[in-house]
Amino acid sequence: MTPDIWMILAFAGLLIAGVPVAFSLALSGAVGIVLGLSPDMLATLGTNTYNSIAKYPLIAIPLFILTGLIFERAGVALRLVRFAQALIGPRHGGLALVAVLVCMIMGGMSGSGPADAAAVAMVMLPSMTKAGYPKPFSATLIAASASTAILIPPSVALILYSIVVPGVDLRALFAAGLFPGVLAGLALLVPAMLVAKRYGWEGTPVEGAEKLTVRGTFREALPALFAPVLILGGLRSGLFTPTEAAVVAVAYGAVVGLFLTRELTLRDVWELLGEAAIISGVVMLIIALAGIFAWSGTMLGTFRHLAEWIISLTDNGVLLLILVMLAVLVAGMLLDAISIYLIMMPILVPVMQHFEWNPVWFGILLAMNIAIGQFTPPVAVNLMVTTEVAKIRLEHTIGWALLFVVAMGGALALVAIFPSIALWLPTVLGYSV
């Protein structure tokens, strides 16, 4: 067998053995270097890991992670829930609609599905349970809705995509993700409302909901609602770059928590800095060690060989796109978004260029696919978070998860068939697509 095959087999074997993704990438990359190049080339490991993370746009990732944590601790989710409840009023499926809307708005602050799921689940699950919603349904709906966070800007996944795919404008990606993200949320909402009406959930008003007024709750939620406007407005006006937008978001979140909601203290800020550092450290470790795998695969020609093999499967671009989407869906069920981008993009970029797929549109399709994987067992990161909050087993949610997979899969198909859903907004805004 050739060295590149040994490298791929080593990576698969390490994953099956339970070795963390970051170390599986590094060790299999080292195997490729030793067998295909020279043991002396192991001296490049330090350079490759450094070069992988020494990229200015990556600064935005830990900052947006910190933004999500700050808004979560600042009581923003609760205020958004109250405003949405007052706006929608008592009706069958009302709380399901609230959960989806709040998840989408929170996604416009954190860019992280698990953080979004945790913040909303803590607030929504008790209310939904009192209203008659089964915990498995509620946990799955919130997990699925929170997955839209990697579509609605600012998205950590899209930031990484703009780095691994050369020549893609991050502002165009952010703009392109907005309508597909909303479409995905609506796709989840339709079956949720129908199921709630079918089983008669929330037949009586939620206790305390009648005391909520639109004007009062809007005033409380206004700082939270202004956050996405500040981030996207600043990007559109050219006032700051995406990386600078992350700094502005952190500063704004701290001001909201410390001085407006007053649910955040300086001690909390210090704790959140440590928590964000830990989460960011895990993310950056994966990116850094993936640099070894990427360099080894490039030098050995592994990615080129795999891309050529994929292209040789069929000359039909539509059929191949379907195959690629299915492969990414399976990967999304097993791996996190960051690992998928780092592992698969070196292979998929040549395929994308061969069939002349628009890179912005293709990036949104990948993000939608990965979003589905975030609430699809067995490794459903969002679902793990919400089931832990709900104190139920992951297996109890499988039926509901499949329902929402089909729903969001329909939204994915629409974006694939009609690329203008994703490309219209960045084109109108004058970004390069």
Side-chain angles (χ1 to χ4, degrees):
M1 289 190 292
T2 59
D4 50 0
I5 293 179
W6 276 115
M7 184 179 77
I8 294 172
L9 290 177
F11 175 66
L14 289 167
L15 281 182
I16 293 172
V19 178
V21 174
F23 297 104
S24 297
L25 288 167
L27 292 173
S28 57
V31 168
I33 292 173
V34 171
L35 297 180
L37 300 173
S38 167
D40 295 337
M41 297 300 288
L42 290 175
T44 64
L45 295 184
T47 303
N48 288 324
T49 53
Y50 173 76
N51 289 339
S52 299
I53 57 174
K55 297 171 181 175
Y56 178 69
L58 283 178
I59 299 173
I61 292 179
L63 289 172
F64 277 126
I65 289 173
L66 178 58
T67 301
L69 293 174
I70 287 176
F71 274 110
E72 177 187 352
R73 188 71 64 89
V76 166
L78 177 60
R79 286 164 172 78
L80 288 173
V81 166
R82 287 173 176 169
F83 172 59
Q85 281 183 286
L87 198 63
I88 294 167
R91 66 182 66 197
H92 285 297
L95 283 181
L97 176 55
V98 169
V100 174
L101 289 178
V102 173
C103 280
M104 292 170 66
I105 297 173
M106 288 292 293
M109 302 176 197
S110 67
S112 168
D116 194 356
V120 178
M122 293 291 290
V123 178
M124 288 298 307
L125 274 171
S127 298
M128 295 182 75
T129 302
K130 287 181 181 178
Y133 290 87
K135 284 186 177 181
F137 172 85
S138 303
T140 310
L141 177 63
I142 294 171
S145 303
S147 71
T148 61
I150 71 169
L151 288 165
I152 298 174
S155 163
V156 171
L158 294 181
I159 293 171
L160 190 58
Y161 179 84
S162 71
I163 293 171
V164 298
V165 180
V168 176
D169 187 345
L170 179 56
R171 295 173 303 169
L173 278 172
F174 277 178
L178 187 58
F179 286 160
V182 172
L183 179 63
L186 293 175
L188 297 171
L189 186 59
V190 171
M193 298 283 285
L194 291 176
V195 169
K197 187 173 182 179
R198 165 69 177 80
Y199 290 103
W201 298 332
E202 202 175 347
T204 57
V206 180
E207 183 180 352
E210 68 279 356
K211 299 178 182 178
L212 301 176
T213 63
V214 173
R215 178 179 296 180
T217 54
F218 174 73
R219 192 184 307 114
E220 291 182 353
L222 188 58
L225 295 172
F226 183 68
V229 176
L230 175 66
I231 295 170
L232 299 181
L235 289 173
R236 176 67 190 100
S237 65
L239 188 61
F240 37 72
T241 66
T243 304
E244 292 164 349
V247 179
V248 172
V250 170
Y252 178 73
V255 169
V256 169
L258 290 171
F259 303 109
L260 296 181
T261 67
R262 296 185 179 181
E263 293 190 21
L264 201 63
T265 65
L266 291 177
R267 180 182 292 274
D268 292 330
V269 173
W270 179 253
E271 292 177 358
L272 292 176
L273 285 170
E275 190 174 341
I278 293 172
I279 298 172
S280 302
V282 173
V283 173
M284 291 300 180
L285 182 64
I286 296 174
I287 295 173
L289 296 183
I292 300 172
F293 185 82
W295 185 83
S296 178
T298 301
M299 295 299 293
L300 293 172
T302 307
F303 303 137
R304 186 184 73 253
H305 297 155
L306 287 172
E308 291 172 351
W309 174 73
I310 292 173
I311 292 170
S312 69
L313 292 176
T314 176
D315 292 330
N316 189 323
V318 175
L319 178 58
L320 194 57
L321 180 64
I322 293 173
L323 294 176
V324 168
M325 290 296 105
L326 290 174
V328 174
L329 176 60
V330 173
M333 295 165 60
L334 303 172
L335 300 171
D336 60 278
I338 292 170
S339 300
I340 292 172
Y341 278 126
L342 295 173
I343 295 167
M344 300 191 74
M345 287 318 299
I347 302 169
L348 295 180
V349 167
V351 178
M352 177 182 70
Q353 293 171 342
H354 176 80
F355 286 98
E356 298 182 345
W357 294 332
N358 184 286
V360 173
W361 168 71
F362 187 63
I364 299 303
L365 290 182
L366 288 180
M368 293 187 77
N369 217 323
I370 294 171
I372 295 174
Q374 287 191 331
F375 62 91
T376 308
V379 185
V381 288
N382 289 6
L383 204 51
M384 285 183 177
V385 171
T386 56
T387 53
E388 179 64 26
V389 174
K391 305 300 180 186
I392 58 174
R393 295 178 63 86
L394 188 68
E395 305 91 84
H396 298 160
T397 66
I398 292 178
W400 297 119
L402 292 176
L403 172 65
F404 294 129
V405 165
V406 172
M408 193 178 282
L412 171 63
L414 285 175
V415 177
I417 296 170
F418 304 104
S420 58
I421 296 176
L423 300 180
W424 178 81
L425 184 58
T427 302
V428 168
L429 295 177
Y431 298 137
S432 174
V433 294

